[in-house]
Amino acid sequence: QKEVEQNSGPLSVPEGAIASLNCTYSDRGSQSFFWYRQYSGKSPELIMSIYSNGDKEDGRFTAQLNKASQYVSLLIRDSQPSDSATYLCAVTGAQKLVFGQGTRLTINP
Amino acid sequence: EAGVAQSPRYKIIEKRQSVAFWCNPISGHATLYWYQQILGQGPKLLIQFQNNGVVDDSQLPKDRFSAERLKGVDSTLKIQPAKLEDSAVYLCASAWFGPSTDTQYFGPGTRLTVL
């Protein structure tokens, strides 16, 4: 079982719709959870971090964490073509960051 | 605030040659990481430094890869000899761990092609 699992996609969403990205993790001791965005040929860029159960909103982005289900999600509202990228879920325990394989998201105009 | 710096940005070598990458972390960040990202995959941790000591190198292929962080600031990652499967982007990241932050910041990466 992979430590952090994501659907590799591609996920195709029409412009203006809500994009929903999901991630599960295996280590129950994980403490910090991150979503990174990676444009093609670029390095990962942090867009959201979440540390406790529930929702965390930042602009058009909402991260959701459910530790009991070992599940993290990212919602992108009012999706824009510029949101087209690979989204990486990353989970930390003991200062070690483990990444999922990423979900490729395409926003169609 | 300056970000994480890496060089070179691109490198093409033939198999069995050696190559070295350099990383300068964000000022004040004690923790430095080297990741390998193969096309279509997420980054994989190769080695983690805390100041100039190694915290985790369990996934570093030690027969061919080596890394050092002298004086607890800059770091170099070396591959000798390179194999075809080493073609990847090598990412350096740094972090400062405090009461409310453990975010890693990534450099632009070095894209290595082994022919």
Side-chain angles (χ1 to χ4, degrees), chain A residues 61-100:
Chain A
F61 298 95
T62 299
Q64 299 174 319
L65 174 61
N66 183 326
K67 290 187 178 180
S69 300
Q70 296 175 245
Y71 177 89
V72 192
S73 65
L74 179 71
L75 301 177
I76 306 175
R77 290 182 301 281
D78 188 24
S79 297
Q80 302 297 309
S82 59
D83 296 326
S84 296
T86 295
Y87 288 80
L88 297 163
C89 173
V91 175
T92 296
Q95 299 188 9
K96 178 179 176 179
L97 194 64
V98 179
F99 284 87

Side-chain angles (χ1 to χ4, degrees), chain A residues 7-14 18-22 74-76 79 83-87 102-108:
Chain A
N7 188 322
S8 61
L11 176 64
S12 186
V13 173
I18 295 175
S20 178
L21 304 162
N22 304 313
L74 179 71
L75 301 177
I76 306 175
S79 297
D83 296 326
S84 296
T86 295
Y87 288 80
T103 298
R104 187 155 56 93
L105 174 66
T106 300
I107 307 299
N108 300 308

Side-chain angles (χ1 to χ4, degrees), chain B residues 4-5 22-34 49-53 68-76 92-94:
Chain B
V4 177
W22 173 83
C23 172
N24 179 247
I26 293 173
S27 178
H29 282 194
T31 308
L32 184 148
Y33 308 81
W34 283 103
F49 291 95
Q50 180 75 18
N51 296 309
N52 60 350
E68 60 182 8
R69 190 183 185 197
L70 300 177
K71 301 181 182 178
V73 182
D74 293 3
S75 177
T76 56
C92 179
S94 70

